[in-house]
Amino acid sequence: MELGIISWIEEENFRKAKELGLSFVELDVNDRAEEFLSHLDQVISFSKAYEMPVGAMGRWGSDRISKDGIRQEELELEYRLIDAASRLECGVYITGCNYVEELSYYENCSFAIAYFEKLIARGKEKGVKIAVYNCRWNNFVNNPMAYTVIHGYLKDLYIKYDTSHCIYDGGDYLQETKDWGDRFIHVHLKGSLVIGGKRFDDPPAGMDQTNWGAFLSALYAKGYNGRLSIEPHSETWKGELGDKGVDFTIKYFRGLIL
């Protein structure tokens, strides 16, 4: 397994990842897709200059479907991002699908499958695999029922997994890893802390309640040998404290990666 970090497109981001001894950066463009695309040549040059590959790209939160089906403007933008991933020699593009309340679960799944089929086809042309994030941010493809229907049908659709989302939703991340780990293609390392039954903070991974040793053991058992991407996500761990938290997580996981 390789250790990397979620980052951004500035030269400083690539330089810092290199100084930390990490193996890759992850770029999640979200609402900054056009900014990313307009600076793509520069990002490619930074990646090459610092020998810091982009291990995954993703886009969270947007409405991919409506009650009338696929939103074409979203599809076209994701095609452009898949093409950009290919130019970066990044083999993983992460996406999701919103739930339309006016539609039944079956109809939502049908539209999501149709949407992902198009992304998978584009990805195959470009050498990029498509994964769905398990974050709940405007995405319903995040649980075993959705995986059974959608991933059960789409054999070339993968999962970007983050234990914290399962934990905060009251799920069993070890069971999900046992059942679906063979479809995991990218993993986030984000700490989670629940106090009194409520989400309290997202401390550095390794300084939280997740049983990371058991989780990595389950990943090894499922044959996972992909990337582990550190996700600093806390409102507490910022600035100098945040840097110390990242340093801690790097040291902690280096002790777990075989």
Side-chain angles (χ1 to χ4, degrees):
M1 298 186 197
E2 291 184 329
L3 197 59
I5 194 167
I6 296 176
S7 195
W8 190 231
I9 64 174
E10 306 296 336
E11 182 174 8
E12 170 68 12
N13 303 131
F14 288 84
R15 182 190 63 78
K16 186 171 183 180
K18 185 73 172 181
E19 289 178 351
L20 290 171
L22 298 173
S23 299
F24 69 92
V25 295
E26 175 185 335
L27 301 179
D28 299 331
V29 303
N30 300 341
D31 59 355
R32 299 181 288 180
E34 294 297 343
E35 178 186 354
F36 162 76
L37 289 166
S38 67
H39 291 85
L40 180 58
D41 289 338
Q42 192 175 52
V43 175
I44 292 170
S45 69
F46 293 154
S47 179
K48 290 181 178 178
Y50 290 94
E51 298 179 313
M52 183 56 56
V54 177
M57 277 177 49
R59 182 164 176 259
W60 276 242
S62 67
D63 287 342
R64 271 82 176 193
I65 63 173
S66 72
K67 62 182 178 62
D68 299 314
I70 293 171
R71 298 184 67 228
Q72 193 63 31
E73 65 273 24
E74 287 295 315
L75 181 64
E76 293 297 332
L77 178 54
E78 298 223 277
Y79 281 166
R80 292 168 63 201
L81 290 168
I82 291 169
D83 293 352
S86 180
R87 286 192 59 198
L88 278 163
E89 299 181 357
C90 168
V92 177
Y93 180 74
I94 305 163
T95 186
C97 190
N98 56 295
Y99 192 87
V100 180
E101 293 297 336
E102 297 97 317
L103 302 177
S104 68
Y105 188 79
Y106 174 84
E107 289 169 315
N108 274 278
C109 287
S110 297
F111 283 150
I113 286 170
Y115 185 81
F116 294 142
E117 281 181 322
K118 293 180 181 297
L119 296 189
I120 290 167
R122 184 65 162 233
K124 287 182 176 180
E125 292 177 6
K126 300 294 182 176
V128 178
K129 293 181 178 179
I130 308 301
V132 177
Y133 58 82
N134 74 319
C135 173
R136 274 61 176 167
W137 179 12
N138 209 24
N139 171 52
F140 78 97
V141 191
N142 58 38
N143 59 73
M145 182 166 71
Y147 298 153
T148 298
V149 176
I150 295 174
H151 288 76
Y153 181 75
L154 296 174
K155 306 305 182 185
D156 294 323
L157 183 64
Y158 296 88
I159 298 169
K160 187 286 297 175
Y161 199 74
D162 180 329
T163 59
S164 72
H165 300 305
C166 180
I167 290 169
Y168 290 138
D169 203 42
D172 184 338
Y173 60 92
L174 294 177
Q175 186 68 53
E176 290 188 358
T177 303
K178 176 179 179 290
D179 294 341
W180 292 98
D182 57 340
R183 300 295 282 273
F184 291 6
I185 198 171
H186 193 73
V187 169
H188 279 185
L189 304 179
K190 182 172 72 183
S192 55
L193 181 59
V194 176
I195 299 177
K198 296 182 179 179
R199 178 179 183 170
F200 179 74
D201 192 17
D202 301 328
M207 198 177 289
D208 68 305
Q209 293 171 329
T210 310
N211 188 338
W212 290 109
F215 176 60
L216 261 66
S217 294
L219 289 180
Y220 279 118
K222 299 300 291 187
Y224 184 82
N225 194 33
R227 291 179 164 119
L228 306 174
S229 190
I230 299 167
E231 182 180 5
H233 199 263
S234 172
E235 293 301 318
T236 304
W237 294 78
K238 298 286 189 181
E240 182 179 353
L241 184 62
D243 291 340
K244 290 180 179 179
V246 170
D247 290 341
F248 174 87
T249 295
I250 291 171
K251 293 176 182 176
Y252 178 84
F253 279 92
R254 282 181 175 156
L256 292 178
I257 296 172
L258 303 178

